[in-house]
Amino acid sequence: MRNKAPDLPQPELSQLHRAGDTQAIPGGRITYLAPLPLSTGQPPLDMSKAVSELNDTWLDFGGGWPNVFGWQHITGGVCVIVLFCLLVLPAISFMLLPTNLAAEVYGGFFWTGILGGAAVFLLAYLGYRLGMNDLKRSIPIRFNRQRREVCFTLTDTQETVFVPWESLMAWVVEARGATQYGVQQQYGMGVGYAHPETGKWLKLEYLAAGLPLAISNWEALRAYMEYEVHSLHEIQDPHLPRGKDDPPWEGVHTLRNARRRMRERRAKGEVGPVFAFFWYAYHVIELWNLPGYLTEWEAKRLMKTRPKLRPAEVEEWSKPLPKEQWAKPSEELVRLSAEVRRLREENPHRSIEEIFADAYRRQGVEA
């Protein structure tokens, strides 16, 4: 999963934190968003594509799906090499060289194209396959909103740890560091919990393009657990070529949605004929719907194998409960959430740290 962020600065485990706390780090800071999971006021958006699946009972965070661009990169790269060697170079040679000499060198261009295309395919596919193997081994964190619990499954031991939703730690990181390419700003969102017996970190972090988007990534989880969103469509990037009833993975429907949107933009005059020509030419070169079919095939294979990685107790824990057995939020969370909403309505421009601290003080919650 390309957006995972294992190298971001880590939260401090030696002391307790709550939503609104901040921690200074070299070149930036960490802001804690839970516990308790209070509303941040940001829209619930999963721009990192970290949420792989959800239904009325549970949400999977951190699994991920193969994307169409991976196969477009492979098929497009191969076709560009082959077409360049079989059409462009021979055409140039026939313009610059005598016909008999150009015909003699055509064989070299032909085999260069075939062998070069094969080499590009093998190298690109190897990288893609390594990424797919990581996806097949990954076990997402599962959020069960009916039980108000979060399940971590350790990949190596298959041990499961069930964490109360209101005890889960969440944070966003903004950090600046010097690299060989200059000073870079990083943002990320993470969730985690200290193992009750070993104290070992159970966590997952994702990079984000900016601090508001990192907070929105957490807000998507919080809003789902508090029954404020009910579908993947509600938390995904509104600019993605995705239909409301599409499956959670990408596939042929992704490409068809993109073409439909392109035709709509052309009809509205948002893009001109030159842009549209090259857009369609690119999709022809990467073999039209083939990347979508290949991506869908990989996703369905992944959907069959991933549930087998989970212990049986997790599958049992994931089953829906009768509504009268649904867990309820704590009285403290209900009071603080109402106070946070009221304070935000009074002054929506205040920072979440100020609003949370004020809510704690007014509700008499000790630090």
Side-chain angles (χ1 to χ4, degrees), residues 17-22 29-42 170-172 215 218-219 222 332-333 335-345 347-367:
H17 296 282
R18 66 181 184 183
D21 288 351
T22 59
R29 69 172 184 170
I30 297 174
T31 301
Y32 294 90
L33 304 177
L36 293 163
L38 300 174
S39 171
T40 63
Q42 288 290 334
W171 61 90
V172 289
I215 298 174
W218 158 252
E219 190 63 24
R222 189 208 63 80
E332 183 180 44
L333 178 60
R335 288 189 293 108
L336 285 171
S337 296
E339 188 67 27
V340 165
R341 286 193 295 270
R342 189 185 67 79
L343 292 171
R344 185 170 294 114
E345 289 175 358
N347 187 352
H349 300 294
R350 294 179 69 187
S351 68
I352 57 174
E353 298 94 326
E354 294 175 339
I355 289 178
F356 290 171
D358 200 2
Y360 293 138
R361 180 180 58 81
R362 293 177 183 237
Q363 291 297 318
V365 178
E366 298 292 334

Side-chain angles (χ1 to χ4, degrees), residues 78 81-82 85-86 107-121:
V78 170
I81 293 295
V82 172
C85 292
L86 268 61
F109 292 144
F110 176 84
W111 287 110
T112 300
I114 298 299
L115 296 177
V120 169
F121 174 81

